[in-house]
PDB file of all heavy atoms in Angstrom:
ATOM      1  N   HIS A  13      -3.236 -24.932 -13.499  1.00  0.00           N
ATOM      2  CA  HIS A  13      -2.672 -25.651 -14.633  1.00  0.00           C
ATOM      3  C   HIS A  13      -2.748 -27.154 -14.366  1.00  0.00           C
ATOM      4  O   HIS A  13      -2.055 -27.649 -13.467  1.00  0.00           O
ATOM      5  CB  HIS A  13      -1.220 -25.240 -14.875  1.00  0.00           C
ATOM      6  CG  HIS A  13      -1.071 -23.802 -15.277  1.00  0.00           C
ATOM      7  ND1 HIS A  13      -0.912 -22.789 -14.365  1.00  0.00           N
ATOM      8  CD2 HIS A  13      -1.079 -23.224 -16.511  1.00  0.00           C
ATOM      9  CE1 HIS A  13      -0.819 -21.641 -15.016  1.00  0.00           C
ATOM     10  NE2 HIS A  13      -0.914 -21.868 -16.312  1.00  0.00           N
ATOM     11  N   PRO A  14      -3.566 -27.896 -15.109  1.00  0.00           N
ATOM     12  CA  PRO A  14      -3.787 -29.322 -14.822  1.00  0.00           C
ATOM     13  C   PRO A  14      -2.514 -30.147 -14.719  1.00  0.00           C
ATOM     14  O   PRO A  14      -2.363 -30.959 -13.800  1.00  0.00           O
ATOM     15  CB  PRO A  14      -4.652 -29.783 -16.005  1.00  0.00           C
ATOM     16  CG  PRO A  14      -5.367 -28.551 -16.455  1.00  0.00           C
ATOM     17  CD  PRO A  14      -4.379 -27.435 -16.258  1.00  0.00           C
ATOM     18  N   LEU A  15      -1.573 -29.958 -15.652  1.00  0.00           N
ATOM     19  CA  LEU A  15      -0.347 -30.762 -15.622  1.00  0.00           C
ATOM     20  C   LEU A  15       0.515 -30.418 -14.409  1.00  0.00           C
ATOM     21  O   LEU A  15       1.073 -31.308 -13.752  1.00  0.00           O
ATOM     22  CB  LEU A  15       0.457 -30.555 -16.907  1.00  0.00           C
ATOM     23  CG  LEU A  15      -0.164 -31.140 -18.178  1.00  0.00           C
ATOM     24  CD1 LEU A  15       0.706 -30.825 -19.391  1.00  0.00           C
ATOM     25  CD2 LEU A  15      -0.337 -32.658 -18.047  1.00  0.00           C
ATOM     26  N   VAL A  16       0.603 -29.126 -14.114  1.00  0.00           N
ATOM     27  CA  VAL A  16       1.362 -28.698 -12.943  1.00  0.00           C
ATOM     28  C   VAL A  16       0.712 -29.220 -11.678  1.00  0.00           C
ATOM     29  O   VAL A  16       1.382 -29.733 -10.765  1.00  0.00           O
ATOM     30  CB  VAL A  16       1.461 -27.161 -12.885  1.00  0.00           C
ATOM     31  CG1 VAL A  16       2.104 -26.706 -11.583  1.00  0.00           C
ATOM     32  CG2 VAL A  16       2.246 -26.628 -14.079  1.00  0.00           C
ATOM     33  N   LEU A  17      -0.602 -29.112 -11.633  1.00  0.00           N
ATOM     34  CA  LEU A  17      -1.352 -29.572 -10.458  1.00  0.00           C
ATOM     35  C   LEU A  17      -1.144 -31.061 -10.226  1.00  0.00           C
ATOM     36  O   LEU A  17      -0.929 -31.502  -9.093  1.00  0.00           O
ATOM     37  CB  LEU A  17      -2.839 -29.273 -10.655  1.00  0.00           C
ATOM     38  CG  LEU A  17      -3.743 -29.424  -9.430  1.00  0.00           C
ATOM     39  CD1 LEU A  17      -3.310 -28.467  -8.333  1.00  0.00           C
ATOM     40  CD2 LEU A  17      -5.196 -29.162  -9.819  1.00  0.00           C
ATOM     41  N   GLU A  18      -1.178 -31.836 -11.300  1.00  0.00           N
ATOM     42  CA  GLU A  18      -0.990 -33.278 -11.169  1.00  0.00           C
ATOM     43  C   GLU A  18       0.420 -33.604 -10.684  1.00  0.00           C
ATOM     44  O   GLU A  18       0.612 -34.495  -9.844  1.00  0.00           O
ATOM     45  CB  GLU A  18      -1.255 -33.961 -12.511  1.00  0.00           C
ATOM     46  CG  GLU A  18      -1.288 -35.483 -12.441  1.00  0.00           C
ATOM     47  CD  GLU A  18      -2.374 -36.005 -11.525  1.00  0.00           C
ATOM     48  OE1 GLU A  18      -3.417 -35.330 -11.373  1.00  0.00           O
ATOM     49  OE2 GLU A  18      -2.182 -37.093 -10.940  1.00  0.00           O
ATOM     50  N   GLY A  19       1.407 -32.872 -11.219  1.00  0.00           N
ATOM     51  CA  GLY A  19       2.778 -33.103 -10.785  1.00  0.00           C
ATOM     52  C   GLY A  19       2.989 -32.767  -9.320  1.00  0.00           C
ATOM     53  O   GLY A  19       3.642 -33.517  -8.578  1.00  0.00           O
ATOM     54  N   LEU A  20       2.422 -31.650  -8.878  1.00  0.00           N
ATOM     55  CA  LEU A  20       2.531 -31.257  -7.481  1.00  0.00           C
ATOM     56  C   LEU A  20       1.803 -32.244  -6.578  1.00  0.00           C
ATOM     57  O   LEU A  20       2.284 -32.586  -5.487  1.00  0.00           O
ATOM     58  CB  LEU A  20       1.955 -29.848  -7.289  1.00  0.00           C
ATOM     59  CG  LEU A  20       2.724 -28.705  -7.949  1.00  0.00           C
ATOM     60  CD1 LEU A  20       1.954 -27.407  -7.815  1.00  0.00           C
ATOM     61  CD2 LEU A  20       4.106 -28.569  -7.321  1.00  0.00           C
ATOM     62  N   ARG A  21       0.661 -32.698  -7.052  1.00  0.00           N
ATOM     63  CA  ARG A  21      -0.106 -33.676  -6.279  1.00  0.00           C
ATOM     64  C   ARG A  21       0.700 -34.953  -6.080  1.00  0.00           C
ATOM     65  O   ARG A  21       0.742 -35.510  -4.971  1.00  0.00           O
ATOM     66  CB  ARG A  21      -1.422 -33.978  -7.012  1.00  0.00           C
ATOM     67  CG  ARG A  21      -2.333 -34.958  -6.289  1.00  0.00           C
ATOM     68  CD  ARG A  21      -3.654 -35.081  -7.006  1.00  0.00           C
ATOM     69  NE  ARG A  21      -4.617 -35.827  -6.236  1.00  0.00           N
ATOM     70  CZ  ARG A  21      -5.924 -35.849  -6.475  1.00  0.00           C
ATOM     71  NH1 ARG A  21      -6.407 -35.125  -7.481  1.00  0.00           N
ATOM     72  NH2 ARG A  21      -6.730 -36.550  -5.729  1.00  0.00           N
ATOM     73  N   TYR A  22       1.346 -35.397  -7.129  1.00  0.00           N
ATOM     74  CA  TYR A  22       2.159 -36.611  -7.044  1.00  0.00           C
ATOM     75  C   TYR A  22       3.306 -36.415  -6.057  1.00  0.00           C
ATOM     76  O   TYR A  22       3.597 -37.296  -5.241  1.00  0.00           O
ATOM     77  CB  TYR A  22       2.712 -36.951  -8.432  1.00  0.00           C
ATOM     78  CG  TYR A  22       3.651 -38.129  -8.445  1.00  0.00           C
ATOM     79  CD1 TYR A  22       3.167 -39.440  -8.411  1.00  0.00           C
ATOM     80  CD2 TYR A  22       5.038 -37.924  -8.474  1.00  0.00           C
ATOM     81  CE1 TYR A  22       4.045 -40.517  -8.411  1.00  0.00           C
ATOM     82  CE2 TYR A  22       5.914 -38.996  -8.478  1.00  0.00           C
ATOM     83  CZ  TYR A  22       5.408 -40.287  -8.451  1.00  0.00           C
ATOM     84  OH  TYR A  22       6.273 -41.356  -8.439  1.00  0.00           O
ATOM     85  N   ARG A  23       3.955 -35.246  -6.119  1.00  0.00           N
ATOM     86  CA  ARG A  23       5.054 -34.961  -5.199  1.00  0.00           C
ATOM     87  C   ARG A  23       4.596 -35.029  -3.747  1.00  0.00           C
ATOM     88  O   ARG A  23       5.252 -35.639  -2.892  1.00  0.00           O
ATOM     89  CB  ARG A  23       5.625 -33.571  -5.461  1.00  0.00           C
ATOM     90  CG  ARG A  23       6.496 -33.429  -6.694  1.00  0.00           C
ATOM     91  CD  ARG A  23       7.096 -32.037  -6.704  1.00  0.00           C
ATOM     92  NE  ARG A  23       7.885 -31.774  -7.899  1.00  0.00           N
ATOM     93  CZ  ARG A  23       8.569 -30.654  -8.088  1.00  0.00           C
ATOM     94  NH1 ARG A  23       8.554 -29.717  -7.156  1.00  0.00           N
ATOM     95  NH2 ARG A  23       9.269 -30.470  -9.191  1.00  0.00           N
ATOM     96  N   LEU A  24       3.481 -34.372  -3.472  1.00  0.00           N
ATOM     97  CA  LEU A  24       3.029 -34.274  -2.086  1.00  0.00           C
ATOM     98  C   LEU A  24       2.516 -35.609  -1.560  1.00  0.00           C
ATOM     99  O   LEU A  24       2.765 -35.969  -0.401  1.00  0.00           O
ATOM    100  CB  LEU A  24       1.947 -33.200  -1.970  1.00  0.00           C
ATOM    101  CG  LEU A  24       2.432 -31.758  -2.206  1.00  0.00           C
ATOM    102  CD1 LEU A  24       1.274 -30.780  -2.158  1.00  0.00           C
ATOM    103  CD2 LEU A  24       3.490 -31.377  -1.177  1.00  0.00           C
ATOM    104  N   GLU A  25       1.793 -36.339  -2.389  1.00  0.00           N
ATOM    105  CA  GLU A  25       1.247 -37.622  -1.944  1.00  0.00           C
ATOM    106  C   GLU A  25       2.356 -38.644  -1.692  1.00  0.00           C
ATOM    107  O   GLU A  25       2.144 -39.611  -0.947  1.00  0.00           O
ATOM    108  CB  GLU A  25       0.255 -38.161  -2.972  1.00  0.00           C
ATOM    109  CG  GLU A  25      -1.052 -37.368  -3.011  1.00  0.00           C
ATOM    110  CD  GLU A  25      -2.036 -37.903  -4.043  1.00  0.00           C
ATOM    111  OE1 GLU A  25      -1.588 -38.566  -5.012  1.00  0.00           O
ATOM    112  OE2 GLU A  25      -3.244 -37.668  -3.881  1.00  0.00           O
ATOM    113  N   ALA A  26       3.524 -38.405  -2.286  1.00  0.00           N
ATOM    114  CA  ALA A  26       4.635 -39.346  -2.102  1.00  0.00           C
ATOM    115  C   ALA A  26       5.421 -39.067  -0.819  1.00  0.00           C
ATOM    116  O   ALA A  26       6.290 -39.855  -0.440  1.00  0.00           O
ATOM    117  CB  ALA A  26       5.588 -39.264  -3.293  1.00  0.00           C
ATOM    118  N   GLN A  27       5.094 -37.966  -0.140  1.00  0.00           N
ATOM    119  CA  GLN A  27       5.837 -37.582   1.047  1.00  0.00           C
ATOM    120  C   GLN A  27       5.213 -38.153   2.321  1.00  0.00           C
ATOM    121  O   GLN A  27       4.014 -38.016   2.543  1.00  0.00           O
ATOM    122  CB  GLN A  27       5.891 -36.048   1.162  1.00  0.00           C
ATOM    123  CG  GLN A  27       6.607 -35.360   0.032  1.00  0.00           C
ATOM    124  CD  GLN A  27       8.062 -35.767  -0.072  1.00  0.00           C
ATOM    125  OE1 GLN A  27       8.751 -35.884   0.933  1.00  0.00           O
ATOM    126  NE2 GLN A  27       8.512 -35.965  -1.304  1.00  0.00           N
ATOM    127  N   GLN A  28       6.029 -38.791   3.127  1.00  0.00           N
ATOM    128  CA  GLN A  28       5.554 -39.252   4.427  1.00  0.00           C
ATOM    129  C   GLN A  28       5.290 -38.041   5.317  1.00  0.00           C
ATOM    130  O   GLN A  28       6.031 -37.060   5.296  1.00  0.00           O
ATOM    131  CB  GLN A  28       6.591 -40.153   5.093  1.00  0.00           C
ATOM    132  CG  GLN A  28       6.747 -41.507   4.408  1.00  0.00           C
ATOM    133  CD  GLN A  28       7.656 -42.428   5.203  1.00  0.00           C
ATOM    134  OE1 GLN A  28       8.317 -42.006   6.144  1.00  0.00           O
ATOM    135  NE2 GLN A  28       7.664 -43.690   4.820  1.00  0.00           N
ATOM    136  N   GLY A  29       4.236 -38.113   6.088  1.00  0.00           N
ATOM    137  CA  GLY A  29       3.912 -37.021   6.997  1.00  0.00           C
ATOM    138  C   GLY A  29       3.161 -35.885   6.350  1.00  0.00           C
ATOM    139  O   GLY A  29       2.967 -34.838   6.967  1.00  0.00           O
ATOM    140  N   VAL A  30       2.747 -36.062   5.092  1.00  0.00           N
ATOM    141  CA  VAL A  30       1.954 -35.050   4.390  1.00  0.00           C
ATOM    142  C   VAL A  30       0.619 -35.663   3.994  1.00  0.00           C
ATOM    143  O   VAL A  30       0.569 -36.695   3.326  1.00  0.00           O
ATOM    144  CB  VAL A  30       2.672 -34.521   3.127  1.00  0.00           C
ATOM    145  CG1 VAL A  30       1.767 -33.558   2.359  1.00  0.00           C
ATOM    146  CG2 VAL A  30       3.978 -33.831   3.512  1.00  0.00           C
ATOM    147  N   ASP A  31      -0.459 -35.055   4.423  1.00  0.00           N
ATOM    148  CA  ASP A  31      -1.813 -35.520   4.108  1.00  0.00           C
ATOM    149  C   ASP A  31      -2.470 -34.490   3.188  1.00  0.00           C
ATOM    150  O   ASP A  31      -2.849 -33.405   3.632  1.00  0.00           O
ATOM    151  CB  ASP A  31      -2.609 -35.682   5.403  1.00  0.00           C
ATOM    152  CG  ASP A  31      -4.033 -36.158   5.145  1.00  0.00           C
ATOM    153  OD1 ASP A  31      -4.334 -36.567   4.002  1.00  0.00           O
ATOM    154  OD2 ASP A  31      -4.852 -36.119   6.083  1.00  0.00           O
TER     155      ASP A  31
END
Side-chain angles (χ1 to χ4, degrees):
H13 295 89
L15 291 178
V16 173
L17 192 61
E18 189 61 29
L20 293 173
R21 182 174 189 165
Y22 176 79
R23 285 186 184 184
L24 292 176
E25 289 180 337
Q27 297 299 318
Q28 290 187 349
V30 175
D31 180 12

